[in-house]
Amino acid sequence: QVQLVESGGDLVQPGGSLRLSCAASGFIFRIHMMNWYRQAPGKQRELVARITGDGTTIYADSVKGRFTISRDNNKNMVALQMNNLKPEDTAVYYCHTRARGYDDWGQGTQVTVSS
């Protein structure tokens, strides 16, 4: 069974930072791309960042320069460093991968940016 377990979400003030982590198991982690999505209330789920097995990254325009995705293939972990957080970053953040043709999602971790 593919399993993605997220952690790190919290309440933070605008301008603050958080680091989200996702622990992966049940698939060959090193050869699969890993994604972070987020979904705010009443909004569609959107791709925030992606990292391929070889380290190529993609970011949503709204987070470029503020968020950094990284992975540790020895630990089967993917992280999202979130700096200079804004209220519009408030959402549930989900770790995601696609293995064997199926989408797999973490349980989600809440990030709330508010003063």
Side-chain angles (χ1 to χ4, degrees):
Q1 288 267 89
V2 171
Q3 189 170 20
L4 304 172
V5 181
E6 300 151 323
S7 61
D10 206 349
L11 171 65
V12 64
Q13 292 186 334
S17 296
L18 287 172
R19 185 176 179 87
L20 307 183
S21 295
C22 173
S25 61
F27 63 102
I28 307 174
F29 178 84
R30 60 181 172 83
I31 67 171
H32 286 93
M33 69 176 62
M34 299 297 298
N35 306 303
W36 284 99
Y37 284 79
R38 67 186 181 188
Q39 187 168 23
K43 302 291 185 180
Q44 294 291 325
R45 190 169 296 185
E46 64 174 344
L47 178 67
V48 176
R50 169 175 290 165
I51 184 166
T52 67
D54 66 3
T56 302
T57 58
I58 296 173
Y59 297 94
D61 287 342
S62 59
V63 308
K64 286 180 179 177
R66 300 188 297 120
F67 291 10
T68 303
I69 189 170
S70 61
R71 67 191 297 155
D72 186 337
N73 288 338
N74 292 321
K75 297 181 178 180
N76 287 6
M77 297 279 292
V78 61
L80 185 68
Q81 179 65 45
M82 310 164 68
N83 297 326
N84 191 24
L85 284 161
K86 303 176 179 181
E88 52 263 42
D89 295 319
T90 296
V92 178
Y93 284 71
Y94 297 91
C95 185
H96 167 270
T97 193
R98 188 175 184 180
R100 303 179 305 279
Y102 293 90
D103 292 306
D104 294 280
W105 300 89
Q107 79 285 357
T109 186
Q110 177 71 49
V111 173
T112 302
V113 185
S114 177
S115 58

